[in-house]
Amino acid sequence: MNISFDKRTVIVTGAAHGFGRAIAKAFAERGAAVHILDVNEAGLDETRQLCGERCRSHVVDVGDRDAVQAVVSAIEADAGAVDILVNNAGGVRGQVGRPLEEISQADWQTIFDVNLSGTFFMTQAVAPGMKKRRYGRVINISSGAGLGISLTGIQAYASAKAGQIGLTRQLAHELGPWNITVNNVAPGFVRSNPTTERQWVAMGEDGQQKLLQNIAMKRLGSPDDIAAMVMFFASDFAGWVSGQVISVDGGK
């Protein structure tokens, strides 16, 4: 399967490390013009250097609707159109699992802002241009936590990712008449960034082995495994695939 994105313009959010970095590199290697977004400027610069001349970076908080509208308008003014959007920005924002009685409104909201509101705001911003051209691909990166439970016990994370999956299905039906597909990748546990490294260490040897034994393939995946699924959803091979959630988790 030879997948190329020549003459396509792509936005990847949460691209400072991990899945976002792997996804951005995969698009750049296949000929796309890639615009990477994150709040982490230093990490974003590293990704841009790895992606080469096809990549441009933008420091933006996807939970800020006005900032999202501004950056998408600037990208469209420069590139002419956005063909593919990957909503990868997310995470737990430094939180750890705690009893629900201890969760403040701010703790709850900040996770929803990046994981769910950011997905909505970004898709909302690119949709008019995609509708005008009658073409678009939107790929949301959720989590196994959105289909089951969070391994860390973070209530807001599991809830926001489940909400993102529901949003994926809703937008697939809303945007489908304009030849815009909306799909979702639900990764399993991957050691892909500082947060997941801390989680891996916190499991201890027994917890790590238990996690591995619950995976059909008895091993962890890599960010490149997630990027590969995104490449398929973004490609012409998936032109009649929409509203789908695919778990990339080694088998559960």
Side-chain angles (χ1 to χ4, degrees), residues 101-123:
E101 299 94 326
E102 298 179 13
I103 308 302
S104 70
Q105 181 174 342
D107 291 336
W108 176 267
Q109 191 60 51
T110 191
I111 289 179
F112 267 77
D113 286 346
V114 66
N115 288 282
L116 183 54
S117 296
T119 296
F120 180 81
F121 293 153
M122 287 297 307
T123 309

Side-chain angles (χ1 to χ4, degrees), residues 19-240:
F19 297 157
R21 176 173 289 176
I23 291 165
K25 286 178 60 182
F27 275 120
E29 289 166 357
R30 289 164 176 79
V34 186
H35 292 262
I36 54 174
L37 279 57
D38 208 296
V39 294
N40 180 347
E41 186 171 6
L44 210 54
D45 286 343
E46 291 179 10
T47 301
R48 180 175 50 79
Q49 292 172 20
L50 290 168
C51 289
E53 61 183 14
R54 293 186 177 277
C55 193
R56 296 185 62 183
S57 61
H58 310 265
V59 179
V60 64
D61 180 354
V62 297
D64 181 337
R65 184 181 184 275
D66 290 341
V68 164
Q69 290 284 333
V71 75
V72 170
S73 293
I75 292 170
E76 289 179 333
D78 177 59
V82 174
D83 301 295
I84 300 162
L85 167 65
V86 182
N87 287 306
N88 172 70
V92 299
R93 292 200 158 175
Q95 296 188 41
V96 296
R98 292 170 290 158
L100 64 88
E101 299 94 326
E102 298 179 13
I103 308 302
S104 70
Q105 181 174 342
D107 291 336
W108 176 267
Q109 191 60 51
T110 191
I111 289 179
F112 267 77
D113 286 346
V114 66
N115 288 282
L116 183 54
S117 296
T119 296
F120 180 81
F121 293 153
M122 287 297 307
T123 309
Q124 184 181 50
V126 302
M130 289 182 174
K131 284 182 174 181
K132 184 176 181 180
R133 296 179 63 246
R134 300 192 66 83
Y135 178 88
R137 298 282 190 268
V138 178
I139 301 101
N140 300 325
I141 310 299
S142 61
S143 169
L147 295 167
I149 62 169
S150 168
L151 292 176
T152 59
I154 298 174
Q155 304 90 343
Y157 184 72
S159 302
K161 288 304 191 184
Q164 191 199 57
I165 290 169
L167 181 64
T168 297
R169 293 175 175 137
Q170 188 68 34
L171 293 181
H173 282 268
E174 180 174 342
L175 299 177
W178 286 272
N179 194 36
I180 302 167
T181 65
V182 187
N183 289 293
N184 197 294
V185 180
F189 183 83
V190 177
R191 297 169 63 184
S192 60
N193 56 49
T195 297
T196 53
E197 283 299 317
R198 287 193 295 271
Q199 291 170 352
W200 178 253
V201 171
M203 290 177 194
E205 187 174 345
D206 289 344
Q208 293 167 5
Q209 287 303 311
K210 182 178 180 181
L211 174 65
L212 292 172
Q213 289 307 308
N214 285 331
I215 298 172
M217 298 188 73
K218 308 304 179 190
R219 63 175 176 84
L220 298 181
S222 74
D224 289 338
D225 293 312
I226 309 308
M229 190 68 241
V230 173
M231 295 303 105
F232 170 70
F233 274 147
S235 75
D236 291 340
F237 291 101
W240 204 50

